């Protein structure tokens, strides 16, 4: 069979439309749209309220439910007014000094009574006209001198003037007739008593002057004044000078009322609460509240939708830039194609479904239910099935989305308490599971996520207002349960993704490497020589792969299956020809060639029948590439020469059908396969001829173009050769003869 016909057969194994859609630019653009839609519709329920088409003053045909917590502005305004009304009026006590009025009166009396040029009648007239005005003049002077002071408002001073003047006291007329008869000594004694009485009464806050004036007579009668007339004069003058000193401070009262309104807790209709009941008339207040909350169809704003769209596009941009920068999609030979991109979308979809399902049990009374969400399911699946670094990138998207989805504060967009917990849990899961080789590692990763999640939630709770014990225990319990739930879900979902998308995870590889697998058991029982050869190739290829950063586990397991096709005709391969003649000695070289090269095709067919993943089938198909079977070609040429005929064939007819190695792993297995067979054929291997043989094999394949379709570099080939030499020496140490140490010639005596 020619190489072209074989490649055509390989291409026909997979429908053309399947191969094309995996690399189709149109499909990739459609998947990008799906990513945007996924992000947008997961953000929408938490950022955009549901709208209703209702009319003012008409009955509602359904219950209108708050899609998120919304403020009842009408109820809040009523609560604010009630709080303001409950504020007691604030009064201020001013530093008024009514004794100043008494001093002015007694100074005037003392001076005027000493003036003999003024008649008694004139003195009486003067006292009657001047003394009553002292009270208002003092108040006017106090207001004028304190105007503009920062601690006394104009409104307070106006209130002081108004109230104080309204409570002025009219001195009886007979007092003015008694004043001219007072001597200087009497005036001095009366001054002292009057001032002391007024000071004592003014020391206490006085709202009503009449209450203080009622106490004057008792205090004066208890004083040192003995004459009845002087006591009566002092009483009246003291009553006249007394004034209120505590006044209503309207400005301070208004400030207190304003603070009371500001400090009033808004009345919130919680998410899920009914704003308008079915059959209830939509009043102007309800209508305004719905309009303010953006829940009316005609009042909907589209700025939020634009913001969500931009956010969704940014999320997509982060993923696509990472994939293109790391060569994951696009290019000639992408590692990840549209199928993997769709799998990533499906993982994100499942993770968001789990997050949204958790919010159904979350409420304002129990917001900590959000800690139960198994968000690490997505990061663990991406790590196991795709790439650890891609999982890290997606973790940041989960952090932002979780901060929005689990947020229950109407005044916030993000609640980074949940975002911080998601970040720690995701990273702990990624770094625990990224080298997993057994299913039990997933459980270990879930336990680590539980422990780190619990500690993180505890830290978050201690940083804020310490919750009560019940809330704290629930929060910690939900965080711990989240990790365990994550492990259970990942273990259950892994087989689905592995089978549906043909993904070969490390866990699957370990399972396929079990000797109990039907194919490996068949290889062991029917072709023990090939089985031993495959195990040796696995050891060599794994060591070589790991030294250049390739997938060593894939190389090992691929080596186990790379020669499975030999089980169809085991006796035609030299490693299985113990105690028997080689059938190729008596066969036509062309027939021998057909039997030998068929083992690659037969192996692929057997692997397909047992649903072995494609990466392992590729190694079985590509490990020989298009190398030449020179032994049979030379034998055929010699036969033609012996028969005296011109050969009708060329060396190209004695090559494997290929294809050439498409990956580093397939190329490494091919080199290791050839090296192991070559070293085993050596009768007396030494370090020198082993190293020479390995270099010759690698150079021969390099010159033959066998590495042209994989991305192995010359530096990597050199490191592979060095590693294979060390591994061969370790494996075949009992067979390799080390060169004898050359002793220096003894000097002649």
């Amino acid at each position: 069979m020619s190489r072209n016909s074989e490649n055509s057969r390989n291409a026909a194994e997979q429908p053309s439309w399947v191969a094309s859609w995996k690399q189709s630019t149109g499909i990739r653009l459609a998947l990008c749209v799906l990513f945007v839609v996924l992000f947008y519709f997961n953000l929408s329920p938490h950022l955009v309220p549901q709208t209703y088409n209702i009319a003012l003053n008409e009955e509602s045909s359904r219950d209108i439910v708050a899609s998120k917590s919304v403020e009842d502005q009408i109820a809040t305004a009523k609560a604010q007014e009630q709080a303001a009304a409950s504020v007691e009026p604030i009064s201020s006590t001013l530093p008024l000094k009514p004794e100043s009025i008494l001093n002015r009166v007694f100074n005037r009396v003392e001076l005027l009574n000493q003036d003999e040029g003024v008649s008694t009648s004139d003195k009486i007239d003067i006292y009657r006209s001047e003394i009553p005005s002292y009270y208002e003049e003092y108040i006017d002077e106090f207001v004028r001198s304190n105007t503009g002071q920062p601690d006394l408002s104009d409104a307070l001073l106006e209130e002081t003037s108004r109230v104080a003047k309204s409570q002025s006291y009219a001195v009886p007329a007979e007092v003015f007739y008694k004043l001219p008869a007072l001597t200087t000594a009497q005036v001095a004694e009366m001054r002292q008593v009057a001032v002391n009485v007024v000071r004592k009464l003014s020391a206490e806050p006085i709202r009503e002057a009449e209450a203080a004036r009622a106490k004057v007579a008792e205090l004066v009668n208890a004083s040192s004044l003995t004459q009845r007339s002087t006591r009566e004069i002092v009483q009246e003058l003291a009553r006249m000078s007394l004034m209120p000193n505590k006044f209503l401070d309207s400005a301070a009262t208004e400030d207190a009322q304003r603070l009371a309104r500001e400090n009033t807790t808004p009345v919130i209709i919680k998410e899920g609460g009914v704003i308008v009941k079915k059959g209830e008339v939509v009043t102007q207040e309800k209508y305004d509240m719905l309009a303010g909350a953006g829940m009316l169809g005609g009042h909907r704003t589209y700025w939020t939708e634009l913001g969500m769209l931009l956010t969704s596009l940014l999320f997509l941009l982060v993923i696509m830039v990472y994939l293109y920068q790391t060569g994951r999609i696009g290019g000639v030979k992408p590692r990840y194609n549209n199928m993997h991109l769709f799998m990533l979308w499906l993982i994100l979809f499942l993770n968001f479904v789990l997050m949204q399902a958790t919010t159904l049990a979350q409420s304002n009374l129990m917001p900590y239910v959000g800690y139960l969400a198994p968000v690490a399911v997505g990061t663990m699946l991406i790590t196991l099935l795709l790439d650890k670094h891609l999982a890290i990138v997606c973790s940041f998207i989960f952090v932002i989305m979780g901060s929005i989805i689990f947020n229950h504060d109407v005044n916030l967009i993000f609640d980074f308490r949940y975002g911080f917990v998601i970040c720690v849990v995701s990273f702990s899961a990624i770094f625990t599971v990224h080298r997993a080789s057994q299913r039990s590692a997933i459980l270990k990763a879930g336990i680590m996520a539980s422990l780190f999640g619990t500690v993180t939630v505890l830290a978050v709770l201690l940083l804020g207002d310490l919750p009560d014990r019940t809330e704290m225990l629930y929060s910690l319990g939900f965080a711990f349960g989240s990790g365990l739930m994550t492990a259970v879900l990942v273990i259950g979902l892994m087989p689905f993704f592995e089978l549906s998308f043909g993904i070969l995870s490390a866990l699957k590889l370990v399972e396929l490497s079990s000797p109990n697998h039907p194919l490996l058991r068949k290889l062991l029982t029917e072709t023990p020589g090939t089985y031993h050869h495959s195990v040796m190739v696995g050891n060599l290829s794994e060591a070589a792969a790991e030294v250049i950063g390739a997938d060593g586990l894939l190389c090992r397991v691929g080596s186990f299956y790379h020669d499975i096709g030999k089980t169809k005709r085991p006796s035609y391969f030299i490693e299985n020809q113990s105690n028997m003649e080689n059938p190729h000695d008596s066969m036509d070289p062309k027939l021998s060639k057909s039997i030998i090269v068929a083992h690659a095709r037969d192996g692929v067919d057997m692997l397909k029948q047992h649903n072995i993943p494609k990466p392992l089938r590729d190694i079985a198909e590509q490990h020989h590439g298009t190398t030449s079977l020179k032994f049979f070609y030379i034998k055929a040429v010699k036969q033609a020469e012996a028969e005296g005929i011109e050969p009708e064939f060329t060396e190209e007819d004695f090559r494997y059908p290929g294809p050439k190695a498409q990956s580093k792993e397939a190329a490494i297995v091919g080199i290791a396969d050839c090296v192991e067979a070559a070293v085993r054929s050596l009768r007396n291997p030494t370090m020198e001829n082993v190293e020479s043989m390995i270099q010759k094999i690698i150079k021969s394949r390099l010159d033959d173009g066998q590495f042209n379709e994989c991305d192995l570099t010359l530096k990597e080939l050199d490191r592979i050769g060095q590693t294979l030499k060390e591994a061969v020496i370790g494996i075949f140490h009992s067979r390799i003869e080390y060169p004898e140490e050359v002793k220096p010639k003894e000097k002649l005596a």
Side-chain angles (χ1 to χ4, degrees):
M1 180 182 293
S2 67
R3 214 171 61 177
N4 291 334
S5 62
E6 181 69 14
N7 289 336
S8 300
R9 185 188 67 82
N10 291 336
E13 291 177 354
Q14 190 177 57
S16 59
W17 67 270
V18 174
S20 63
W21 87 267
K22 291 182 178 180
Q23 306 299 333
S24 170
T25 302
I27 296 296
R28 190 170 303 134
L29 291 175
L31 288 172
C32 290
V33 173
L34 283 179
F35 274 101
V36 173
V37 171
L38 177 65
F39 295 134
Y40 182 91
F41 282 101
N42 275 279
L43 291 173
S44 181
H46 304 277
L47 296 178
V48 179
Q50 182 180 356
T51 58
Y52 299 88
N53 293 319
I54 58 175
L56 181 63
N57 297 324
E58 291 186 4
E59 292 184 358
S60 175
S61 60
R62 55 178 297 183
D63 288 341
I64 299 178
V65 179
S67 57
K68 64 177 182 178
S69 297
V70 60
E71 180 181 349
D72 189 340
Q73 297 180 351
I74 304 301
T76 300
K78 291 180 179 178
Q80 289 174 342
E81 292 305 318
Q82 290 176 356
S86 64
V87 173
E88 295 290 336
I90 297 176
S91 298
S92 297
T93 301
L94 301 185
L96 295 170
K97 297 181 178 180
E99 64 270 21
S100 299
I101 300 175
L102 287 175
N103 286 324
R104 185 179 180 186
V105 171
F106 286 115
N107 289 337
R108 182 60 171 159
V109 171
E110 183 177 5
L111 291 175
L112 190 59
N113 285 355
Q114 293 177 1
D115 191 351
E116 297 180 353
V118 181
S119 63
T120 301
S121 61
D122 290 339
K123 293 178 180 178
I124 294 172
D125 293 337
I126 292 173
Y127 292 145
R128 183 183 295 167
S129 63
E130 292 184 4
I131 291 178
S133 65
Y134 290 172
Y135 181 88
E136 292 190 1
E137 289 175 1
Y138 173 79
I139 294 173
D140 292 340
E141 176 61 26
F142 177 85
V143 171
R144 183 169 53 255
S145 63
N146 286 281
T147 300
Q149 295 296 323
D151 53 341
L152 296 177
S153 64
D154 293 342
L156 177 60
L157 292 176
E158 291 177 3
E159 179 71 8
T160 300
S161 176
R162 183 187 67 79
V163 173
K165 287 181 180 180
S166 67
Q167 296 186 27
S168 61
Y169 181 78
V171 179
E174 60 267 19
V175 173
F176 302 124
Y177 287 95
K178 297 177 181 179
L179 291 178
L182 297 175
T183 64
T184 302
Q186 289 177 321
V187 170
E189 184 180 12
M190 293 169 61
R191 182 200 297 266
Q192 183 178 3
V193 172
V195 169
N196 288 337
V197 169
V198 170
R199 281 180 177 174
K200 183 176 182 178
L201 293 174
S202 299
E204 299 293 332
I206 301 174
R207 187 180 294 276
E208 297 293 336
E210 286 301 320
R213 289 166 181 160
K215 301 176 182 179
V216 170
E218 180 181 356
L219 295 176
V220 172
N221 291 334
S223 67
S224 60
L225 295 176
T226 57
Q227 295 182 7
R228 179 178 178 181
S229 61
T230 57
R231 289 200 300 269
E232 291 176 351
I233 293 173
V234 167
Q235 289 177 14
E236 296 301 330
L237 293 177
R239 292 190 181 103
M240 180 200 71
S241 62
L242 283 171
M243 62 183 64
N245 59 11
K246 186 176 183 180
F247 305 94
L248 176 64
D249 191 341
S250 59
T253 302
E254 290 175 359
D255 288 341
Q257 291 173 341
R258 177 178 53 79
L259 289 175
R261 292 187 183 95
E262 293 176 354
N263 294 330
T264 301
T265 303
V267 178
I268 302 296
I269 298 178
K270 298 179 181 179
E271 182 179 356
V274 178
I275 300 177
V276 180
K277 295 181 179 180
K278 181 179 180 181
E280 180 182 354
V281 175
V282 180
T283 62
Q284 185 66 52
E285 292 80 6
K286 294 285 187 179
Y287 190 85
D288 293 340
M289 183 173 66
L290 294 172
M295 298 178 65
L296 293 180
H299 292 74
R300 182 170 181 174
T301 175
Y302 292 94
W303 291 113
T304 303
E305 285 86 343
L306 178 60
M308 290 192 303
L309 179 61
L310 293 176
T311 303
S312 302
L313 289 171
L314 289 173
F315 286 157
L316 173 65
L317 183 65
V318 168
I319 294 175
M320 300 306 291
V321 167
Y322 169 78
L323 293 178
Y324 274 105
Q325 289 292 329
T326 55
R328 299 309 187 212
I329 64 173
V332 179
K333 293 187 297 182
R335 178 181 175 184
Y336 291 160
N337 50 40
N338 290 338
M339 180 190 70
H340 299 98
L341 197 60
F342 176 69
M343 183 171 64
L344 175 62
W345 180 89
L346 187 58
I347 292 174
L348 295 181
F349 173 79
L350 290 174
N351 213 47
F352 290 147
V353 167
L354 293 172
M355 294 168 68
Q356 298 287 3
T358 305
T359 61
L360 298 178
Q362 195 181 19
S363 65
N364 288 322
L365 296 178
M366 297 180 66
Y368 42 81
V369 175
Y371 296 130
L372 184 62
V375 183
V377 168
T379 53
M380 289 177 67
L381 287 175
I382 296 172
T383 303
L384 292 168
L385 299 172
L386 294 172
D387 180 59
K388 178 184 73 173
H389 299 95
L390 179 59
I392 293 175
V393 171
C394 292
S395 293
F396 288 106
I397 295 177
F398 294 146
V399 166
I400 298 174
M401 293 290 290
S403 300
I404 296 174
I405 291 174
F406 297 119
N407 174 42
H408 264 251
D409 190 340
V410 67
N411 298 314
L412 298 176
I413 296 177
F414 304 97
D415 189 340
F416 280 102
R417 294 176 299 176
Y418 297 99
F420 180 51
V421 173
I422 293 172
C423 181
V424 174
V425 169
S426 297
F427 274 69
S428 64
I430 290 172
F431 292 114
T432 306
V433 83
H434 81 282
R435 291 188 180 274
S437 58
Q438 296 180 349
R439 301 283 173 180
S440 60
I442 298 177
L443 180 59
K444 178 183 176 182
I447 294 175
M448 294 299 293
S450 294
L451 295 177
F452 277 97
T454 304
V455 173
T456 307
V457 169
L458 179 61
V460 169
L461 294 176
L462 295 179
L463 287 174
D465 296 333
L466 195 65
D468 57 45
R469 181 178 300 178
T470 302
E471 182 176 344
M472 178 175 289
L473 290 177
Y474 271 118
S475 299
L476 298 177
F478 285 146
F480 189 83
S482 172
L484 299 180
M485 189 187 306
T486 297
V488 172
L489 290 172
V490 172
I491 292 174
L493 289 170
M494 278 292 293
F496 165 76
F497 284 99
E498 289 172 341
L499 293 175
S500 300
F501 294 92
I503 297 297
L504 189 58
S505 65
L507 303 177
K508 185 67 174 179
L509 281 172
V510 172
E511 291 177 356
L512 291 173
S513 67
S514 172
N516 292 323
H517 191 281
L519 285 179
L520 294 185
R521 192 163 58 247
K522 177 182 179 66
L523 188 68
L524 174 61
T525 57
E526 298 181 9
T527 55
T530 301
Y531 178 82
H532 180 264
H533 161 73
S534 298
V535 172
M536 301 300 288
V537 172
N539 293 334
L540 295 175
S541 62
E542 183 177 30
E546 290 181 350
V547 80
I548 66 168
D551 193 338
L553 182 58
L554 176 59
C555 286
R556 170 183 281 275
V557 181
S559 299
F560 292 169
Y561 291 91
H562 80 290
D563 276 343
I564 195 68
K566 291 182 178 180
T567 58
K568 281 200 172 184
R569 304 175 187 87
S571 61
Y572 287 89
F573 299 91
I574 191 168
E575 66 267 22
N576 301 313
Q577 295 171 0
S578 58
N579 300 321
M580 61 177 294
E581 294 183 359
N582 189 343
H584 293 289
D585 293 341
S586 59
M587 290 178 60
D588 181 75
K590 294 181 181 179
L591 179 59
S592 296
K593 168 259 177 183
S594 299
I595 294 174
I596 295 298
V597 300
H599 84 275
R601 182 185 67 243
D602 293 337
V604 173
D605 293 337
M606 294 175 67
L607 293 176
K608 279 186 176 181
Q609 291 173 4
H610 286 78
N611 296 319
I612 301 299
K614 189 175 186 300
L616 296 179
R617 301 201 307 267
D618 290 342
I619 290 176
E621 185 178 29
Q622 300 168 12
H623 72 281
H624 283 297
T626 58
T627 55
S628 173
L629 283 80
K630 292 185 178 180
F631 176 84
F632 295 108
Y633 171 67
I634 295 173
K635 181 179 178 181
V637 170
K638 290 181 178 180
Q639 284 184 357
E641 291 177 352
E643 295 174 1
I645 61 175
E646 187 70 22
E648 297 179 355
F649 53 84
T650 65
E651 185 182 0
E652 292 296 317
D653 295 322
F654 283 83
R655 284 182 177 270
Y656 279 92
K660 296 177 180 179
Q662 304 293 304
S663 65
K664 290 182 179 182
E665 289 78 12
I668 291 171
V669 172
I671 296 173
D673 176 53
C674 193
V675 167
E676 197 279 336
V679 172
R680 185 158 36 84
S681 67
L682 295 176
R683 292 186 178 181
N684 296 303
T686 63
M687 292 182 62
E688 287 78 6
N689 57 23
V690 167
E691 182 175 6
S692 175
M693 179 172 290
I694 292 175
Q695 292 177 351
K696 181 180 178 181
I697 290 171
I698 293 177
K699 185 176 185 303
S700 173
R701 289 195 169 219
L702 181 63
D703 294 341
D704 196 28
Q706 297 302 314
F707 305 135
N708 290 351
E709 298 181 16
C710 66
D711 50 359
L712 279 175
T713 64
L714 293 176
K715 182 177 180 181
E716 288 175 336
L717 287 172
D718 183 62
R719 297 183 68 184
I720 289 171
Q722 182 66 24
T723 303
L724 287 176
K725 183 191 76 171
E726 295 172 357
V728 166
I729 292 173
I731 294 172
F732 296 98
H733 64 279
S734 61
R735 296 176 54 192
I736 295 179
E737 296 179 1
Y738 289 83
E740 294 183 0
E741 182 179 357
V742 178
K743 296 182 179 180
K745 294 182 179 179
E746 296 182 0
K747 293 184 178 180
L748 295 175

